[in-house]
Amino acid sequence: MKFACTPSAAARCIRALAAFTLLFCLSACDPSTPERAAAPAAPSAADAPQQRNFTGAGSLSGTRQTLKMGPGRRAEAFWLSGSLMLTGEQRLGLGFRAEVIGLADNQTGLQGRSVWTDERGDQVFSTLSSATTGPGSVIQGRLTGGTGRFAGVSGDYRFTWSPLVISEDGGVSGRLLDLKGSALLALPPSPPGTAAGAGPAAAGARP
């Protein structure tokens, strides 16, 4: 049995095929279809906070003001500045300008604050404390943060204070000996839109 294909039937077939093709394209391009998010890159060893062990020595000079508080007791406010040199392959830097301000009481000990500034102007902040004062006192330092490449740094260090000159007019100078410490450098912030663990090439950064 044969069926004749009339022009009207052919037109209906063409319209039906066009409608089916349009529906297929619309469903394939549906913007509501969620895209599978790319899995974040696992952090690399280079992204881990950096542990830095260091040693060093320095020399400081400055002024002090003494307040006598009865027989056998005195308090001294001091401000010192000078140079600090660090050694070791993992040191924070080579040379720093060191500034120290504090209060020493020969009955209660020493409390102070310190700022190290490198050749770039980046700074390291720390607190100082000691249960004793005077020659040979061991002073404990605690790193509390910084600026630039030292932002977020933490850690501890210690050194021995060896005075060289203590004058009647308030001048004082001395050396920092046997400085030893350990610092933990925080991760630098990632540029916006950069995945964790991405290198400079992925971030579009220049060397």
Side-chain angles (χ1 to χ4, degrees):
M1 181 180 294
K2 295 183 180 180
F3 296 92
C5 181
T6 64
S8 60
R12 287 196 297 272
C13 291
I14 292 173
R15 286 196 295 270
L17 180 60
F20 175 81
T21 303
L22 179 61
L23 288 174
F24 177 81
C25 292
L26 290 176
S27 63
C29 300
D30 186 3
S32 63
T33 304
E35 293 185 1
R36 180 174 297 179
S44 64
D47 293 329
Q50 302 176 17
Q51 181 77 32
R52 301 290 186 90
N53 300 317
F54 57 88
T55 58
S59 60
L60 301 175
S61 62
T63 59
R64 63 185 175 89
Q65 291 183 319
T66 303
L67 178 66
K68 295 182 178 180
M69 303 178 66
R73 186 177 184 181
R74 66 183 185 279
E76 294 179 344
F78 58 88
W79 182 88
L80 306 172
S81 65
S83 60
L84 175 67
M85 302 293 290
L86 299 185
T87 57
E89 295 182 356
Q90 297 178 321
R91 63 186 178 226
L92 291 172
L94 176 59
F96 293 85
R97 172 179 171 79
E99 297 174 280
V100 178
I101 189 171
L103 177 68
D105 185 314
N106 65 337
Q107 290 191 10
T108 61
L110 176 147
Q111 293 290 328
R113 301 293 184 268
S114 178
V115 178
W116 303 350
T117 307
D118 71 1
E119 72 281 358
R120 303 179 185 180
D122 297 338
Q123 296 181 314
V124 179
F125 308 137
S126 60
T127 62
L128 303 174
S129 63
S130 176
T132 61
T133 62
S137 296
V138 176
I139 298 176
Q140 305 285 342
R142 180 175 295 276
L143 302 174
T144 60
T147 64
R149 59 189 177 131
F150 303 122
V153 68
S154 60
D156 299 277
Y157 64 94
R158 60 185 293 173
F159 63 89
T160 300
W161 172 245
S162 177
L164 297 176
V165 176
I166 300 177
S167 62
E168 293 294 331
D169 63 357
V172 59
S173 65
R175 294 187 297 172
L176 282 67
L177 304 177
D178 302 323
L179 188 149
K180 297 180 181 179
S182 177
L184 189 65
L185 287 178
L187 290 176
S190 299
T194 302
R206 296 181 179 178

